[in-house]
Amino acid sequence: MNFEKEITDDIVIEKINIKRATYKEAEDFRNFVQNDIEAGWKKIIIDMKTCEFMDSTFLGVLVNSLKQSEKSNGSLKLASVHDDAQAILDITRISGIFK
């Protein structure tokens, strides 16, 4: 399974279980996160420990998910970001919008 969910108290932790997150997985991940936002979860953490690479489509899904969460008065944070994925976030200056 590419994505899995863990619930701890009032926090949803969504794990990305793939090394390369690309346009092929982007739509499934968007739906995965969107379902939790629509279900009313206000605290969402994306665990990116195993994800080493993201393409622009997947980055767009992360940004869009953050915006959707904030529209619902929620928060979406990234955790355990792999060094290579962090470099991509830094180069694109997307890391600055995530906590």
Side-chain angles (χ1 to χ4, degrees):
M1 177 178 254
N2 291 339
F3 314 112
E4 63 183 274
K5 177 180 5 185
E6 235 178 74
I7 298 173
T8 305
D9 299 322
D10 62 342
I11 301 170
V12 174
I13 301 168
E14 298 179 344
K15 296 181 180 183
I16 300 174
N17 295 325
I18 49 177
K19 287 188 178 199
R20 296 181 56 83
T22 66
Y23 70 95
K24 294 176 186 177
E25 298 83 19
E27 185 67 20
D28 288 340
F29 186 68
R30 185 191 68 77
N31 292 333
F32 190 73
V33 176
Q34 189 64 35
N35 286 339
D36 288 333
I37 294 169
E38 290 174 0
W41 290 97
K42 299 295 182 195
K43 297 177 184 176
I44 299 174
I45 297 174
I46 309 295
D47 181 346
M48 301 185 63
K49 186 179 353 184
T50 59
C51 183
E52 297 175 6
F53 172 83
M54 295 172 283
D55 70 4
S56 61
T57 304
F58 203 88
L59 285 170
V61 168
L62 287 175
V63 172
N64 186 51
S65 296
L66 174 65
K67 289 180 181 181
Q68 293 300 317
S69 178
E70 290 175 343
K71 279 183 187 177
S72 300
N73 296 316
S75 66
L76 185 144
K77 298 179 180 182
L78 304 180
S80 302
V81 180
H82 189 279
D83 290 343
D84 293 338
Q86 184 65 51
I88 293 167
L89 292 170
D90 292 342
I91 288 168
T92 58
R93 298 189 177 169
I94 290 176
S95 61
I97 66 171
F98 287 99
K99 296 181 180 163

